[in-house]
């Protein structure tokens, strides 16, 4: 997907406005973006996506989304908010938590379809468990401090067979074309990857209650800093990039993109080749751009080896998986997650190089 998006952006950048081929390329790019969105949902369910955690208050998120949620529910559903004012913060990815709320609201809306009037109540409350708590659906929440987000709808409810499969990916009770069964599954994955718990209680004719437990932010810190996307294909000032990527198609696309924008690119298919290139190259290298998930020597191990050879060399990590998230030893380093667009890669490289120059000149060969 990174390859498709990258080459699509390259072609669009080279074609003038009004060229009839732009529409065809844009269709390719939009298809890749839809595929990327589906991939992120599957990664969310399997808890392998890269999160962007920040400290936030769930009440603030709910109230900021209230207008959007009322619009999703429509005129026949009454939205009631019961938000505890004493709520403390949690550490979570704001956009992903918004996705959880939207998915749960949409699921509740569909459960109330056909009713003359429906009601959805969204509640928040702090909760301290002195010992593990058994939930109504048979799960267990460990002892600890939590923020509870609860959604109660007046819908048709679920029987036991449906309830036990509700969080399975691609399981849906909707007719063909009305849903793909990833809404609740995605919510489940995001909550679990955020360190929380999600349970469902439902009976036919008695509606559904979904309860989310999120650990409080006490002592927690965001880990990863992710590069935002710029608005244009930013150019080089003649810098040299050491690009390490084991996927040939992605490496070729990224190298071509960087060269077209004026960078000198040294390509390596793995960590060993990258170290050999680093030792042979006599000129400056301005940045290491490396995938994290690689065989034999991963990107984090490579970064440690490179830092021992060229201290202070700026680095940009690329990954699409939570296993590739930056550990404590690389806190503060920029992370770009796959699949990425051309603008995202170029912008990240530009900012990492410029940010390093604030404190000094590029690192020369030793």
């Amino acid at each position: 997907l990174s390859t498709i998006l990258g080459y699509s952006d390259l072609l669009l950048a080279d074609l003038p406005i009004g060229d009839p081929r732009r529409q065809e390329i844009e269709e390719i790019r939009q298809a890749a973006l839809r595929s990327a969105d589906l991939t992120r949902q599957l990664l969310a369910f399997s808890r392998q996506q890269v999160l962007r955690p920040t400290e936030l208050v769930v009440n603030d998120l709910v109230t900021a989304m209230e207008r959007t949620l009322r619009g999703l529910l429509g005129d026949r559903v009454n939205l009631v908010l019961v938000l505890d004012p004493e709520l403390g913060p949690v550490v979570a990815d704001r956009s992903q938590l918004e996705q959880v709320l939207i998915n749960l609201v949409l699921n509740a809306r569909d459960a109330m379809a056909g009713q003359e009037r429906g009601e959805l109540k969204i509640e928040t409350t702090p909760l301290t468990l002195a010992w593990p708590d058994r939930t109504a659906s048979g799960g267990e929440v460990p002892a600890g401090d939590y923020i509870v987000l609860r959604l109660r709808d007046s819908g048709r409810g679920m029987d036991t067979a449906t309830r036990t499969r509700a969080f399975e990916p691609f399981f849906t009770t909707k007719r063909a074309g009305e849903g793909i069964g990833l809404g609740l599954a995605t919510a489940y994955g995001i909550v679990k990857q955020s360190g929380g718990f999600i349970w469902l209680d439902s009976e036919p004719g008695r509606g559904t209650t979904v309860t989310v437990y999120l650990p409080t932010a006490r002592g927690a810190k965001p880990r990863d800093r992710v590069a935002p996307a710029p608005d244009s294909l930013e150019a080089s000032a003649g810098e040299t990039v050491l690009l390490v990527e084991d996927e040939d198609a992605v490496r070729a696309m990224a190298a071509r993109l960087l060269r077209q924008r004026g960078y000198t690119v040294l390509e390596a298919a793995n960590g060993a080749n990258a170290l050999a290139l680093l030792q042979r190259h006599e000129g400056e290298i301005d940045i290491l751009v490396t995938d994290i998930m690689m065989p034999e020597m991963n990107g984090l191990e490579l970064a440690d080896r490179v830092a021992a050879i060229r201290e202070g060399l700026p680095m940009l990590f690329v990954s699409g998986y939570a296993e590739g998230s930056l550990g404590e030893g690389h806190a503060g380093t920029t992370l770009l997650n796959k699949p990425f667009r051309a603008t995202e890669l170029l912008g990240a490289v530009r900012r990492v190089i410029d940010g390093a120059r604030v404190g000094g000149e590029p690192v020369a060969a030793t």
Side-chain angles (χ1 to χ4, degrees), residues 14-43:
D14 290 339
L15 289 177
I17 300 297
D19 191 307
R21 292 170 294 178
R22 290 185 64 90
Q23 182 177 353
E24 296 164 346
I25 297 169
E26 185 62 35
E27 287 294 333
I28 294 172
R29 192 177 71 87
Q30 289 300 322
L33 288 172
R34 288 192 294 270
S35 299
D37 182 62
L38 177 60
T39 301
R40 289 190 184 99
Q41 292 185 66
L42 291 171
L43 288 173

Side-chain angles (χ1 to χ4, degrees), residues 169-182:
F170 300 115
F171 173 75
T172 179
T173 58
K174 298 174 184 176
R175 291 176 296 184
E178 293 183 352
I180 58 175
L182 280 174

Side-chain angles (χ1 to χ4, degrees), residues 41-42 44-47 100 103-104 107 135-139 149 151 158-173 180-192 196-202 208-213:
Q41 292 185 66
L42 291 171
F45 173 75
S46 60
R47 289 169 268 168
V100 168
N103 287 4
L104 296 181
N107 191 72
T135 68
S137 52
L149 171 66
L151 289 83
M158 306 179 192
D159 58 25
T160 301
T162 302
R163 188 173 63 245
T164 55
R165 300 188 62 190
F167 292 122
E168 289 183 16
F170 300 115
F171 173 75
T172 179
T173 58
I180 58 175
L182 280 174
L184 287 178
T186 300
Y188 173 89
I190 292 170
V191 171
K192 296 296 287 186
F197 303 86
I198 180 169
W199 308 109
L200 183 150
D201 183 28
S202 184
T208 298
T209 299
V210 180
T211 305
V212 176
Y213 301 80

